[in-house]
Amino acid sequence: LTRAPLLANLGDTLRFYFWGALVPLLPVSLMSTALLFRQGLFSGFSLVDLWLVYWLAEAIGVVLFAPLAQHWLWSVLQRRPAVVTDSRLVKFAGFLLLLGCLSVLALLNGYLDHGKALTYLLFPLLAWVSMGGRHGLALLAMPLVALVLLGYVLLSVRVLQQAPGFLLVEAVLVISMLTLMSQLILAVSTERRQLLHRFQEKARRDFISGLLNDRGLLQCIQ
């Protein structure tokens, strides 16, 4: 664990994907898949397909929960709130509950395409949270949205009486795409805010001495 958030900038985020989700999980998932395949399980699928699905399920777990675990750990150590309670948190919870309820109602009333289309509105909700400047809220929002999507898929499997295999794989793919796009938006937004703060601080100080210039002094007086 580092003191800098895992998704603080684009470069660190890409390195986290490579060293956290790609390099260590590919061989581990291959060994696990080979054992299952050797025992005769999932004989109707190829080894490569099972391997990729197994790896993607593990990778999305790491990508979803490792940044959140790091954020909550440092919040506990520094004795500060992990998620700031404000209007943005209330709005996110309200919109998430509304979209989840509407999707379920559409599914139960036979409007399958409408229910599925409503779930795709969760991505703009995640993008709005990621660009809002609340790092803890954005990290918490991603697993919550993933749980809502997974719950909707499990309910649709029960309602439609279909085999869960393809629908679960599709849900994992959708969750992975939503998570990656949201985390990249969060990383770029966080890096942009840090650069903006750095430029604002440089504008308040003398270039040689580092002391406050006339603009910085006027801001302190005001």
Side-chain angles (χ1 to χ4, degrees), residues 10-33:
L10 186 59
D12 289 343
T13 301
L14 296 178
R15 281 188 288 271
F16 164 63
Y17 291 158
F18 183 77
W19 294 108
L22 184 64
V23 172
L25 293 182
L26 276 176
V28 174
S29 60
L30 178 59
M31 290 187 295
S32 302
T33 307

Side-chain angles (χ1 to χ4, degrees), residues 45 153 156-158 160-170:
F45 301 91
V153 170
S156 63
V157 168
R158 187 170 183 178
L160 301 177
Q161 299 295 325
Q162 293 182 356
F166 176 76
L167 292 177
L168 289 177
V169 171
E170 184 182 13

Side-chain angles (χ1 to χ4, degrees), residues 102-113:
L102 289 177
S103 301
V104 171
L105 287 176
L107 176 65
L108 295 178
N109 287 279
Y111 298 99
L112 307 180
D113 295 334

